[in-house]
Amino acid sequence: MAGCGKQEVPPTVVQGTTIDIPKLRGAFETATAETQAALSEVNMGVRYRDFTRALVALQKLANAPGLTDAQKKVVAEGTEQVKQAASTATTAPPPR
């Protein structure tokens, strides 16, 4: 059998904007249950194009105690990616 059983999950692309959820999850692999719940909220918000939900969860992550500089950077990048996707989604014409 090839590989270690773990599959690489590609970043999500929304209206041409890449949102790197796997990078965000990777930065918090050993996080608390509360932080893991916030990560799930980010994922669900992005998946269902509920960017407000994703941004609220990212804000919770950004304010979590004990973040490393690397985690802060990943959260900031994720926040910018979601904001960009949200602005693109609201200015794009609705699908027909």
Side-chain angles (χ1 to χ4, degrees), residues 12 21 24-25 38-48 54 57:
T12 303
I21 299 294
L24 194 60
R25 285 198 173 277
L39 285 168
S40 291
E41 284 296 307
V42 173
N43 189 45
M44 296 300 283
V46 169
R47 175 182 286 170
Y48 294 107

Side-chain angles (χ1 to χ4, degrees), residues 8 31 50 81 84-85 89 92:
E8 287 292 319
D50 185 350
Q81 292 167 352
Q84 186 175 357

Side-chain angles (χ1 to χ4, degrees), residues 11 14 21 28 30-31 39 53-54 68 82:
V14 178
I21 299 294
F28 291 93
T30 59
L39 285 168
R53 178 181 183 181
T68 66
V82 171

Side-chain angles (χ1 to χ4, degrees), residues 8-65:
E8 287 292 319
V9 178
T12 303
V13 178
V14 178
Q15 299 283 348
T17 300
T18 300
I19 303 172
D20 201 345
I21 299 294
K23 184 176 181 180
L24 194 60
R25 285 198 173 277
F28 291 93
E29 284 183 341
T30 59
T32 65
E34 186 176 331
T35 300
Q36 291 293 335
L39 285 168
S40 291
E41 284 296 307
V42 173
N43 189 45
M44 296 300 283
V46 169
R47 175 182 286 170
Y48 294 107
R49 310 303 188 251
D50 185 350
F51 300 115
T52 301
R53 178 181 183 181
L55 288 169
V56 167
L58 282 161
Q59 188 65 39
K60 284 181 190 176
L61 287 174
N63 292 326

